[in-house]
Amino acid sequence: MEEYLKIEREKEWRVELRTKLKNKERTTIERVQMPGLDPIERIQYQDREVNLGLDEASAITEASRCMDCVNPTCIEGCPVSINIPKFIKNIERGEMHEAAKTLKETSALPAVCGRVCPQEKQCEAQCFYTLKLKKEPVAIGYLERFAADFEQNSGSISVPETAEKNNIKVAAIGSGPASLSFAGDMAKLGYDVTVFEALHEVGGVLKYGIPEFRLPNRVVDVELASLEKMGVKFERNFIVGRTASFDDLKEEGFHAFFVASGAGLPRFMNIPGENFNGILSSNEYLTRVNLMNAAKSEFDTPVLRGKNIAVIGGGNTAMDSVRTAKRLGAERAMIVYRRSREEMPARVEEVLHAEEEGIEFLNLNNPIEYFADENGRVNRMRLQKMELGEPDASGRRRPVVVEGSEYDIPVDVVVVAIGVSPNPLVPSELPELKVSRWGTIEVDPETMQSSIPDLFAGGDIVRGGATVILAMGDGRKAAAGMHQYLQTKQNNLVSEPSAIKNAD
Amino acid sequence: MANLATQFFGLELKSPVIAASCSMTGDLEQIKKLAKAGAGAIVLKSLYEEEIDTQLQEELSQRKALEPDPEYLDYFDYIIKDENLKDYTGLIRQAKQAVEVPIVASVSCISQSDWVLFSKKLEEAGVDALELNLFLLPANLEKSGEANEQFYFNTVKKVLEVVSIPVTIKISHYFSNLAAMIKALSETGIAGISLFNRFYSPDIDIQNEKMISADVLSHASDYLLPLRWTGILSSQTSCPLAATGGIHSAETAIKFLLAGASAVQVASVLYNGGTEAIAGMNQEIATWMDAKGYDKIDDFKGKLAIRDKHVALYERAQFMKYFTQKDF
């Protein structure tokens, strides 16, 4: 890898580009601002993207801030190891298609990642500007989105090269980011990949979880089309473990499986009154709106609307839910989070956007009970104030109850976004599969191989909860691990009659 | 044979010997054995909020390999508590199905909201009574004794507001005016007070010069402290008292009944002598009662509780002439 990066960096055009501007000049350029829709306007629409993307001139200027470091630490911060300086330098020289191609070398979903990755915690946190200069990092995420969008909008979309087909069938279960990333890498290696999706729509959390104002479905669809062009097949409405068992699929010639069935089981706090009408999980709320068009008048999918909507949690799902609530007409849309803003797991940008849209943040508050009217509809919640104590084992300061601080606020809808449990179907189908106490599949963290040798896993079903990019990283690792496993198996074929060599 | 029936936890008990909250009472098979041995009631192993927090910290510290997303770490805050509550309420349901002896849930929390939440959940699970294992180590230099005492009253009040089953408390002796405190607590509407809870105690290993845990089990002489306070308070409180700590024999149990306790809670003796120890104690108490001509516990309960003639004996604190008469 290091050698490859070095060779790429020493290519003539890169060397020449570095001489065009002195580093001192590069570092004096201010970081670009992402243009966005006006908050007052955007909260009227569920499907209008908030960030508008950079124009070409701003992208080139921003790209010229990158100093094309000898040791590009930014790549270390990227779970899918995008050659960041290479794609940025391509933007700087105006070769946008080359930039997009570079992204696709290791990422199956660049237009998605450019929108939803928490870059501030990953590549941008490792940027030379952040680490050494203590300045704002190069806007890697904005540039990634720019390159991917440029290609999508040009109509000339490159399809990554794939190796000669080896006719070895492999399956990915679930069609979220982990599976799509896995499928992309396996297709590049020549495998015959089928992605099985339980719902009617492919994309997993990218479609049912993330609202269109953050990630338009059309953007996801273009990425899916690229995978299809690479030969990846998608089976919709197919539940592995119900529609067909693992054994059935093995009989159909599948040699290995990548399980990325996600964490779709909503969690509640189990506090008094949580069963009242009007209290629902973020999964249900977002799925109704994102996948089943509940926000659109021409669809009859019902969704709860209210004046005072509280969303419990501080992650991206909570932000997506509360911002959706605002768009559905809530007068008071609130985040109730028991830690402070500093500990919030949500992307910084999502929190900022939420604030711009008038979302109220009741941080250091924890719900302890709900109350309802005579019809059983929630009408009030009791909150308890918290303060931050010593750091816990995760390094974050733990919330401690402020005794006697309880107070009530009126609510008519409550969305609980405190996390989800792993989907139990696959583990329940395979009793020999090693799972943790929490229902996550246990894997080798390097190869993502489970206790069943031909079964690999990644994403939420392994981590319990992961960002899109971490899930994609898992998909890539699993693809490498599975390829290695199948190759080793193939090399030991002589004594194995049901050989991979004889695959149909 | 003498009738051993008594009342505590707001319940009729067939024996004054109660299986105290300990690891043994967290296991269904042991619960069955304790019931068979004739325990008057079984107090389940305490559900500790602090222990739940420790589990959370362990879980968080183990999750390094796959770089957990902080959103998932938040999830543990909720799920670990939830799982613990589910396990505990599951144990209550199983125990209630398996045995007829009263099952008492013991709970120990840090925050008042959890005292309330846990108590409600345990009541819903069908437990017969609650024992609040209340303790605040008065080691905070910033906090007044009054504030510490208020914690006990606030907690009791909050729990009593949300449950309808009998609520008892188990407390320590760390109060500046223990008698007044116990009396005041007895007037809050609770169904009983157990004196005193036993804690983890730190010790020091001088060879390795490090902190270690002191003996977990009680010693037979530990009963003297609760005996004094049972004797002093049993006739003055508005609710019944039970005793716990160092009650290793029927003889000690009888001493407490004479001092005015309605029941005794035993744990260490179960580890030393097995669940059958309860059967042995019941038998010996009955034999003693028969020998003394007592038909029922009330015939002698509190016979040696503080009265005018016992005041000096219970409240005497100095050895005075005792050591001066000893030969060294």
Side-chain angles (χ1 to χ4, degrees):
Chain A
M1 178 72 176
E2 245 173 65
E3 196 52 33
Y4 157 77
L5 292 175
K6 211 170 156 188
I7 293 166
E8 287 285 334
R9 188 175 182 273
E10 290 313 315
K11 285 197 171 158
E12 210 180 318
W13 69 268
R14 295 261 296 262
V15 175
E16 199 188 318
L17 200 61
R18 283 199 291 274
T19 62
K20 284 202 166 171
L21 273 179
K22 286 180 183 159
N23 278 349
K24 206 174 170 187
E25 292 171 296
R26 292 182 188 275
T27 57
T28 53
I29 303 168
E30 289 289 312
R31 179 180 156 120
V32 70
Q33 296 291 317
M34 171 63 80
L37 277 184
D38 178 72
I40 306 288
E41 186 194 345
R42 72 193 187 218
I43 57 169
Q44 311 297 321
Y45 306 97
Q46 175 69 15
D47 56 359
R48 291 210 185 162
E49 200 177 0
V50 170
N51 280 345
L52 297 173
L54 302 182
D55 59 35
E56 197 170 326
S58 331
I60 291 172
T61 308
E62 182 63 23
S64 64
R65 290 180 74 220
C66 170
M67 290 183 284
D68 200 3
C69 305
V70 182
N71 175 23
T73 43
C74 52
I75 300 177
E76 290 164 24
C78 175
V80 296
S81 306
I82 288 174
N83 188 342
I84 294 168
K86 184 181 169 189
F87 99 78
I88 292 182
K89 291 297 109 180
N90 267 311
I91 294 176
E92 187 183 342
R93 69 168 173 156
E95 290 292 339
M96 310 312 178
H97 284 283
E98 281 303 311
K101 257 186 174 171
T102 307
L103 292 170
K104 287 184 176 177
E105 284 172 12
T106 58
S107 170
L109 309 166
V112 171
C113 292
R115 286 170 165 82
V116 302
C117 271
Q119 289 97 0
E120 73 272 11
K121 290 177 189 162
Q122 288 167 332
C123 52
E124 292 182 13
Q126 301 299 319
C127 173
F128 187 81
Y129 278 78
T130 313
L131 296 177
K132 303 286 180 195
L133 303 179
K134 307 297 172 204
K135 284 185 167 185
E136 282 201 291
V138 174
I140 301 169
Y142 295 171
L143 293 174
E144 181 183 23
R145 171 181 164 163
F146 167 77
D149 283 2
F150 185 93
E151 191 194 43
Q152 285 199 1
N153 297 334
S154 74
S156 161
I157 298 171
S158 68
V159 177
E161 279 179 31
T162 53
E164 197 184 327
K165 297 285 172 213
N166 61 19
N167 294 324
I168 298 173
K169 285 170 80 171
V170 296
I173 296 156
S175 69
S179 266
L180 298 178
S181 173
F182 164 85
D185 274 16
M186 289 304 268
K188 281 180 194 165
L189 290 164
Y191 288 89
D192 180 356
V193 191
T194 305
V195 176
F196 294 97
E197 168 55 49
L199 298 175
H200 60 281
E201 188 89 46
V202 173
V205 72
L206 304 176
K207 284 280 180 73
Y208 72 75
I210 305 176
E212 290 226 60
F213 58 77
R214 199 151 75 85
L215 177 64
N217 286 344
R218 62 176 164 75
V219 171
V220 183
D221 288 336
V222 174
E223 310 266 39
L224 293 172
S226 282
L227 285 167
E228 275 186 311
K229 283 181 194 152
M230 289 164 72
V232 175
K233 297 168 197 154
F234 293 100
E235 284 280 352
R236 292 163 177 84
N237 301 309
F238 195 110
I239 304 175
V240 176
R242 288 285 182 277
T243 317
S245 68
F246 280 91
D247 285 342
D248 295 336
L249 293 175
K250 277 182 191 170
E251 270 181 33
E252 281 186 30
F254 286 95
H255 287 276
F257 301 89
F258 175 60
V259 180
S261 47
L265 206 60
R267 296 292 318 180
F268 287 89
M269 288 175 67
N270 207 1
I271 57 174
E274 216 172 19
N275 288 329
F276 288 133
N277 294 332
I279 303 175
L280 73 169
S281 72
S282 53
N283 280 42
E284 182 184 339
Y285 188 65
L286 291 173
T287 303
R288 280 175 184 273
V289 176
N290 297 340
L291 196 67
M292 300 167 82
N293 297 297
K296 295 178 184 161
S297 54
E298 62 270 32
F299 286 81
D300 56 8
T301 309
V303 68
L304 286 170
R305 294 168 194 256
K307 274 186 183 175
N308 298 303
I309 301 193
V311 175
I312 318 302
N316 287 319
T317 315
M319 295 306 141
D320 289 342
S321 302
V322 79
R323 295 173 69 197
T324 295
K326 191 78 187 173
R327 282 160 173 77
L328 292 182
E331 285 171 16
R332 191 180 183 198
M334 299 163 273
I335 282 285
V336 178
Y337 183 54
R338 57 192 225 134
R339 296 177 191 250
S340 76
R341 181 172 166 161
E342 209 172 302
E343 290 79 28
M344 256 184 193
R347 288 178 81 216
V348 170
E349 188 179 53
E350 306 316 325
V351 179
L352 282 174
H353 283 166
E355 283 173 340
E356 287 170 5
E357 290 165 11
I359 304 301
E360 204 176 318
F361 282 78
L362 302 180
N363 293 338
L364 290 168
N365 273 277
N366 198 35
I368 53 172
E369 189 165 3
Y370 298 104
F371 302 91
D373 61 19
E374 63 281 6
N375 299 317
R377 172 76 183 249
V378 66
N379 62 4
R380 190 160 53 95
M381 75 192 289
R382 181 155 297 160
L383 297 175
Q384 180 176 54
K385 291 193 175 164
M386 313 292 285
E387 59 190 2
L388 292 177
E390 294 298 306
D392 65 17
S394 72
R396 299 183 306 160
R397 291 178 67 191
R398 71 176 78 185
V400 181
V401 169
V402 178
E403 294 298 350
S405 63
E406 298 93 343
Y407 67 105
D408 292 358
I409 57 167
V411 285
D412 39 23
V413 175
V414 176
V415 179
V416 182
I418 58 163
V420 280
S421 287
N423 200 325
L425 185 60
V426 168
S428 69
E429 272 293 292
L430 301 168
E432 68 275 34
L433 182 65
K434 210 171 157 196
V435 293
S436 75
R437 182 182 162 198
W438 310 111
T440 50
I441 297 177
E442 297 201 345
V443 294
D444 177 326
E446 296 305 317
T447 63
M448 310 308 281
Q449 189 171 31
S450 75
S451 57
I452 300 174
D454 58 8
L455 194 145
F456 295 70
D460 285 359
I461 190 77
V462 165
R463 295 169 183 269
T467 53
V468 167
I469 193 67
L470 285 174
M472 287 176 63
D474 289 353
R476 294 209 70 212
K477 273 202 263 181
M482 188 187 285
H483 178 53
Q484 172 78 34
Y485 165 74
L486 291 173
Q487 276 196 318
T488 309
K489 209 170 161 186
Q490 193 172 24
N491 294 337
N492 299 332
L493 280 183
V494 189
S495 57
E496 265 191 69
S498 60
I500 290 174
K501 198 161 63 179
N502 301 331
D504 51 20
Chain B
M1 185 173 147
N3 181 357
L4 298 187
T6 186
Q7 297 89 34
F8 195 67
F9 299 123
L11 305 167
E12 293 293 323
L13 311 184
K14 284 184 179 164
S15 156
V17 184
I18 295 165
S21 173
C22 60
S23 298
M24 208 177 251
T25 59
D27 178 88
L28 186 64
E29 288 314 306
Q30 298 296 331
I31 289 169
K32 287 180 192 167
K33 285 183 189 168
L34 288 163
K36 200 175 165 200
I42 298 169
V43 186
L44 300 181
K45 183 182 184 318
S46 287
L47 178 62
Y48 287 105
E49 188 187 349
E50 195 180 348
E51 207 165 85
I52 293 171
D53 188 57
T54 307
Q55 274 181 37
L56 170 67
Q57 299 311 318
E58 277 170 14
E59 187 62 40
L60 295 181
S61 62
Q62 279 167 14
R63 302 188 65 81
K64 296 279 185 227
L66 287 167
E67 299 171 64
D69 185 62
E71 196 158 347
Y72 192 47
L73 299 183
D74 271 1
Y75 162 86
F76 281 117
D77 289 354
Y78 299 102
I79 193 171
I80 290 182
K81 185 192 285 186
D82 201 28
E83 293 287 319
N84 272 277
L85 267 171
K86 263 190 201 153
D87 287 351
Y88 201 82
T89 50
L91 179 67
I92 291 172
R93 290 191 180 97
Q94 287 176 324
K96 284 297 296 169
Q97 256 188 344
V99 301
E100 287 190 356
V101 61
I103 296 294
V104 179
S106 169
V107 57
S108 178
C109 292
I110 303 162
S111 57
Q112 255 160 32
S113 52
D114 275 351
W115 280 107
V116 169
L117 172 70
F118 287 18
S119 299
K120 270 187 181 177
K121 297 278 173 194
L122 305 185
E123 181 183 36
E124 281 166 20
V127 79
D128 296 300
L130 278 179
E131 179 181 83
L132 310 182
N133 186 354
L134 289 164
F135 178 59
L136 202 67
L137 190 77
N140 185 344
L141 296 174
E142 309 294 319
K143 216 168 172 187
S144 69
E146 213 174 6
N148 279 341
E149 288 177 2
Q150 207 49 49
F151 155 79
Y152 292 81
F153 291 106
N154 289 344
T155 307
V156 166
K157 185 169 175 273
K158 293 252 176 192
V159 174
L160 286 174
E161 274 169 10
V162 296
V163 299
S164 52
I165 52 173
V167 175
T168 65
I169 61 172
K170 186 151 91 169
I171 56 169
S172 78
H173 58 278
Y174 289 103
F175 293 100
S176 56
N177 188 347
L178 183 60
M181 183 70 185
I182 291 176
K183 184 160 168 37
L185 283 168
S186 78
E187 288 160 1
T188 55
I190 53 174
I193 304 176
S194 293
L195 310 175
F196 298 107
N197 38 19
R198 180 173 173 76
F199 311 111
Y200 158 86
S201 290
D203 199 354
I204 289 174
D205 171 352
I206 61 165
Q207 290 309 321
N208 297 303
E209 297 183 17
K210 62 174 190 180
M211 299 295 295
I212 53 169
S213 164
D215 280 351
V216 175
L217 299 181
S218 67
H219 299 280
S221 58
D222 291 351
Y223 78 88
L224 292 168
L225 180 74
L227 183 68
R228 175 195 293 250
W229 290 102
T230 304
I232 292 174
L233 289 160
S234 65
S235 59
Q236 305 185 69
T237 53
S238 301
C239 68
L241 299 182
T244 178
I247 301 162
H248 289 198
S249 65
E251 184 185 347
T252 312
I254 293 164
K255 289 180 187 182
F256 277 100
L257 296 170
L258 284 166
S262 296
V264 293
Q265 295 204 32
V266 299
S268 296
V269 71
L270 304 176
Y271 288 92
N272 295 330
T275 53
E276 273 307 300
I278 289 184
M281 287 175 78
N282 281 340
Q283 183 58 52
E284 284 178 48
I285 295 168
T287 305
W288 176 83
M289 284 170 68
D290 287 342
K292 290 280 184 180
Y294 298 130
D295 293 329
K296 54 186 190 303
I297 299 282
D298 278 347
D299 291 346
F300 66 99
K301 190 178 102 181
K303 194 173 177 184
L304 296 180
I306 202 164
R307 303 272 190 276
D308 288 346
K309 61 179 178 176
H310 298 135
V311 170
L313 292 170
Y314 273 117
E315 296 189 356
R316 176 175 160 185
Q318 305 307 328
F319 291 106
M320 296 188 288
K321 287 181 183 169
Y322 180 78
F323 282 115
T324 58
Q325 290 165 356
K326 271 256 185 205
D327 290 331
F328 293 101

